[in-house]
Amino acid sequence: MSEWQQAWTAETGVRTAQELFRRAFGAEPDGVWASPGRVNLIGEHTDYNGGLCLPIALPHRTYVAASARSDGRVRMTTDIGTEPVWEGTLAELAPRKVSGWVAYCGGPAWALTGAGVAVPGFDLAVASCVPLGAGLSSSAAVECAVGLALAQLAGHRLDAGDADRARLAALCVRAENEVAGAPTGGMDQAASLRAQAGHALLLDCRDGSVEQVRFDLDAAGLALLVIDTRASHSLADGQYGARRAACERGAARLGVTTLREVTDLNAALAALDDDEVRRRVRHVVTEIGRVTDFVAASEAGDWATAGRLMDASHDSLRDDYEVSCVELDVVVAAARGAGALGARMTGGGFGGSAIALVRPEKMETVAHAVRVAASVRGLPTPEIHLAIPSDPGACLIEP
Ligand code: ADP
Ligand code: MG
């Protein structure tokens, strides 16, 4: 039998964050807020091209225990760092003044303040069961949970409706881009704040609009394995920016604002003289088409086609976009070989996680095959999670 990695229950998450808070600050927090990690079903590296993507929120969430302070000072602690507590002022939580986990945890304070929200000083403790750096968006889970907490400490509920959540998501994107310095595109924060249980979030990155697409794995007789290869994706930093820049060069050459505006792929490819840019453009444009096709296939219950689209997405990311790596290719091939309907890398790439869509009776076989394949190649043993479109997602939990 497989050991499936489990998400914390809300109770465990709240207790862990509260205990961390008590140990660090010797007091009870005003409240505990949570926001989830995500996996993207399909539509990779499309968000910063104004394209479509289709993430689901995971049951794995980040929990933030926080209290307001009246002296404008800030103290933050987290379960991941070796540094015990960071202490400073609100003014220090700004681009180029902080880095590492402090930038991810403190960035939302800067973004909210910039948007006119009167964020007070605060004490804050972060505890998370979202695997770190596994392509499951621990970064957005932190930003969104902190964003919810600080907005509420400032007297704003930014989780009431989708319009508020969209606004907060945009602020968390600013925090990640400008304070943490990661040039990511916005899918992660939208998934963390706007995805609903039993649904995938069809996000149109051209205008930020969303559609809830029913994705009920149980009802469909399916399971989704999330395979964390445990290959670090730290190499992604420069590479991610390089992919973005290639897309921008392609769009400029084609005279469009974003690659979303490309309507005739063959004409576009013929107009591009740089082979690298041509392949990047081909990935983005075909991937956006695969999102639409995946939604149609899933709505028709045609999971064989949905699986083939996942396979095609992986192949395009590997060959045209060149963001896969041996660890991802090995587990994807093993999952397919063991009977998955489809499998692909998910997230930015260069390590991190893959997903496999499987019939429940094949779960054990696929998981076993994935572990054996990694071991034969001398790669780290993957950790395998079961994805369930998460309920209740991002919210205030306590009090
Ligand atoms: P991921 O795929 O997990 O989002 P990223 O590289 O985008 O990977 O973000 C990981 C970074 O987010 C960490 O290096 C850390 O700075 C921050 N982070 C994630 N989880 C936590 C946490 N529990 N506490 C503090 N910072 C965190
Ligand atoms: Mg991230």
Side-chain angles (χ1 to χ4, degrees):
M1 279 291 287
S2 271
E3 288 279 299
W4 306 111
Q5 303 288 317
Q6 298 285 337
W8 289 344
T9 61
E11 206 180 4
T12 302
V14 167
R15 188 166 24 82
T16 310
Q18 281 172 333
E19 279 168 9
L20 194 61
F21 189 97
R22 273 185 219 118
R23 265 204 311 281
F25 309 123
E28 286 300 311
D30 290 347
V32 180
W33 291 259
S35 207
R38 60 96 189 95
V39 278
N40 189 21
L41 297 175
I42 197 157
E44 216 65 76
H45 287 279
T46 54
D47 57 355
Y48 53 82
N49 288 299
L52 300 172
C53 52
L54 192 69
I56 60 171
L58 289 172
H60 304 68
R61 297 194 290 182
T62 295
Y63 295 80
V64 168
S67 286
R69 294 173 62 97
S70 52
D71 60 0
R73 293 196 62 77
V74 174
R75 295 188 298 178
M76 301 192 291
T77 190
T78 160
D79 58 351
I80 63 159
T82 41
E83 297 158 69
V85 175
W86 182 89
E87 287 201 50
T89 59
L90 279 170
E92 284 168 71
L93 298 176
R96 291 172 302 281
K97 291 194 176 157
V98 283
S99 60
W101 71 266
V102 175
Y104 282 93
C105 294
W110 171 83
L112 281 162
T113 305
V117 176
V119 176
F122 56 89
D123 289 338
L124 175 153
V126 180
S128 181
C129 69
V130 184
L132 198 81
L136 305 179
S137 202
S138 67
S139 57
V142 167
E143 293 146 12
C144 297
V146 171
L148 282 170
L150 296 185
Q152 195 165 341
L153 293 181
H156 293 261
R157 282 296 295 255
L158 282 183
D159 61 344
D162 189 65
D164 276 347
R165 286 165 176 264
R167 194 170 152 232
L168 182 57
L171 293 175
C172 291
V173 176
R174 278 202 78 196
E176 177 152 325
N177 290 166
E178 300 190 35
V179 184
T184 47
M187 166 176 65
D188 302 350
Q189 293 79 2
S192 190
L193 287 167
R194 303 173 73 188
Q196 292 178 4
H199 293 78
L201 186 79
L202 177 59
L203 172 66
D204 187 336
C205 299
R206 180 152 54 185
D207 58 8
S209 62
V210 297
E211 208 180 297
Q212 303 288 342
V213 175
R214 195 165 155 72
F215 189 69
D216 185 336
L217 290 162
D218 282 345
L222 292 167
L224 187 70
L225 304 186
V226 180
I227 306 161
D228 174 4
T229 62
R230 297 171 62 217
S232 145
H233 71 171
S234 58
L235 275 178
D237 299 346
Q239 293 289 351
Y240 195 99
R243 294 303 178 281
R244 235 181 132 140
C247 291
E248 280 160 15
R249 284 205 303 283
R253 184 88 175 93
L254 296 168
V256 290
T257 331
T258 68
L259 294 180
R260 177 68 180 282
E261 318 308 323
V262 173
T263 46
D264 182 340
L265 178 60
N266 287 331
L269 296 178
L272 294 167
D273 40 24
D274 180 324
D275 181 55
E276 182 193 324
V277 172
R278 195 183 300 123
R279 285 183 294 119
R280 308 298 189 241
V281 169
R282 185 165 57 198
H283 165 71
V284 171
V285 175
T286 58
E287 183 76 356
I288 292 170
R290 281 187 286 272
V291 177
T292 311
D293 293 347
F294 186 99
V295 169
S298 69
E299 281 173 344
D302 180 358
W303 297 106
T305 297
R308 275 196 296 277
L309 289 162
M310 291 168 70
D311 291 349
S313 167
H314 183 82
D315 296 351
S316 175
L317 287 157
R318 181 192 60 210
D319 301 335
D320 272 349
Y321 219 63
E322 296 180 280
V323 292
S324 191
C325 60
V326 61
E327 291 88 346
L328 287 166
D329 293 341
V330 163
V331 299
V332 162
R336 289 179 191 167
L341 291 163
R344 58 181 290 274
M345 55 159 277
T346 184
F350 307 103
S353 299
I355 52 174
L357 188 66
V358 297
R359 296 288 178 202
E361 62 273 18
K362 292 263 167 118
M363 265 164 37
E364 293 289 344
T365 318
V366 169
H368 181 69
V370 160
R371 292 195 185 99
V372 168
S375 150
V376 165
R377 296 291 296 262
L379 303 172
T381 306
E383 288 191 344
I384 306 184
H385 307 258
L386 280 179
I388 303 155
S390 156
D391 189 18
C395 59
L396 161 72
I397 326 194
E398 289 267 328

